[in-house]
Amino acid sequence: MIGNFIIVDGHVHTFSSEEISLKILQSFNKMYDIEFENPGTGTIDDVLINMENEGIDYTVMANFAPAKILHSNNKWTLEESRKHPNLIPLVSFHPDMDESFTSLLDEYILDGAKGIKLHPMAQGFDPKDKRLEGIYEFCSDIAFPIVFHCGRVANARLNRFSDVETLEPLIARYESIPFILTHMADGNVKDVLRLSKSYENVYFDTSIVISGYPPIRETNKPSWLDDSIPEGVINEIGAERLVFGSDYPWGSPAWDLKRFMGMKLSSEQKKIILGENAMKLFLNRVYN
């Protein structure tokens, strides 16, 4: 906790070892022209130490992987969450997975999954692929949250699979699914305002765009550098639509929390964004 605030980092990537972390970070950074130094490794021990040092109560593991190893990666994420109850597990899917999606999701939920993370651009699939309709119908029936990577990675756009225009038809069609769009919908203020007014089931995570980490602020074009921008957006759409996230180990929860705590927002707004919304969406809990 920070003061009286429950803190949830709603967007973190975790890896099973430092060796795997190094390989993935180097490959990802090369692919997306990310030149700044990562603030950590994303191993479980690294994340837990960060949480203790920064007063973070819960971390949402927003992991994804290529189709051929996605099931095993999901199982690892779920296993780690059982070892560490303060790690909230999301699972991921890909149209090319061989297994029955609905059977898998049912299995994952029984194992503790609290939501789904899809990164269509990096995973290389159209989120409107008809093979995924069963997943969306399943999630719609139980209001199971889906986190979509939205927009670019750093300043690179490899395809249009994560663009707002691609994701919006799903938001409109499946009104019972809480959709969380990462990176404040690619940092487009007009899109954030329009989507929040048009759909009650859309939320936005703050990672990268509302960052306090200097290397991101210096290099990431969609970032909102002036606090007046997020303050204005929050006051217009309501704190209830934002989920705090860092995108660690690319973003920095320490720097991001410092920035949020310094913003001209009410204590109630900070409480809602920094933890309460994530608790409601992923754990169905409310703290007063």
Side-chain angles (χ1 to χ4, degrees), residues 5-285:
F5 301 150
I6 294 283
I7 305 298
V8 181
D9 189 338
H11 188 159
V12 168
H13 300 274
T14 56
F15 308 106
S16 59
S17 69
E18 290 194 4
E19 180 182 6
I20 289 175
S21 168
L22 181 62
K23 288 181 179 178
I24 293 175
L25 295 182
Q26 287 180 340
S27 174
F28 204 82
N29 291 353
K30 182 178 180 180
M31 180 178 295
Y32 293 100
D33 296 322
I34 298 172
E35 297 180 354
F36 61 80
E37 182 178 356
N38 292 82
T41 63
T43 64
I44 296 298
D45 287 344
D46 176 51
V47 169
L48 293 174
I49 291 170
N50 242 354
M51 292 173 68
E52 183 175 357
N53 289 342
E54 305 305 331
I56 299 169
D57 299 278
Y58 295 93
T59 284
V60 177
M61 295 189 288
N63 297 334
F64 63 92
K68 63 182 180 180
I69 63 168
L70 195 45
H71 177 59
S72 61
N73 196 67
N74 288 337
K75 296 295 284 186
W76 174 80
T77 299
L78 293 166
E79 181 182 351
E80 291 303 314
S81 74
R82 288 193 293 274
K83 294 178 186 176
H84 309 283
N86 53 350
L87 300 181
I88 301 171
L90 307 186
V91 291
S92 190
F93 289 89
H94 191 291
D96 292 342
M97 293 174 75
D98 294 330
E99 297 86 348
S100 164
F101 295 145
T102 53
S103 296
L104 268 184
L105 182 53
D106 192 45
E107 173 188 334
Y108 292 154
I109 291 173
L110 289 174
D111 282 346
K114 301 302 181 184
I116 292 174
K117 166 64 184 289
L118 300 177
H119 197 316
M121 180 167 64
Q123 291 176 281
F125 68 85
D126 187 338
K128 302 191 298 297
D129 191 305
K130 290 187 179 298
R131 291 174 291 175
L132 294 173
E133 287 184 353
I135 285 288
Y136 297 131
E137 294 292 347
F138 192 117
C139 292
S140 181
D141 288 343
I142 61 173
F144 200 62
I146 297 178
V147 178
F148 269 124
H149 172 84
C150 186
R152 291 162 278 188
V153 171
N155 298 316
R157 178 179 272 107
L158 302 187
N159 54 57
R160 299 287 176 177
F161 292 154
S162 288
D163 286 6
V164 165
E165 293 77 14
T166 304
L167 303 177
E168 186 170 356
L170 295 169
I171 297 169
R173 179 175 178 182
Y174 298 102
E175 297 179 355
S176 296
I177 300 177
F179 287 102
I180 301 94
L181 305 184
T182 64
H183 314 307
M184 297 303 296
D186 200 27
N188 188 311
V189 172
K190 290 182 179 179
D191 279 340
V192 171
L193 298 180
R194 180 181 61 80
L195 291 168
S196 62
K197 291 175 182 177
S198 300
Y199 307 103
E200 295 182 359
N201 60 326
V202 67
Y203 302 82
F204 308 92
D205 105 346
T206 66
S207 63
I208 305 300
V209 169
I210 312 180
S211 179
Y213 188 44
I216 289 177
R217 291 170 59 84
E218 292 166 4
T219 60
N220 191 61
K221 291 180 181 179
S223 291
W224 296 348
L225 301 181
D226 192 320
D227 284 351
S228 65
I229 301 174
E231 289 165 357
V233 168
I234 292 165
N235 287 327
E236 183 159 349
I237 71 173
E240 295 79 8
R241 294 299 190 96
L242 274 71
V243 174
F244 173 76
S246 68
D247 205 0
Y248 188 77
W250 283 272
S252 166
W255 281 95
D256 292 2
L257 285 167
K258 181 179 179 181
R259 181 178 180 187
F260 261 97
M261 294 304 293
M263 284 188 190
K264 295 177 182 177
L265 300 171
S266 70
S267 293
E268 182 68 15
Q269 287 173 314
K270 292 177 182 178
K271 181 184 77 167
I272 290 169
I273 295 169
L274 295 178
E276 189 172 283
N277 283 341
M279 297 295 286
K280 289 179 180 178
L281 285 165
F282 299 116
L283 295 179
N284 196 27
R285 298 183 193 172

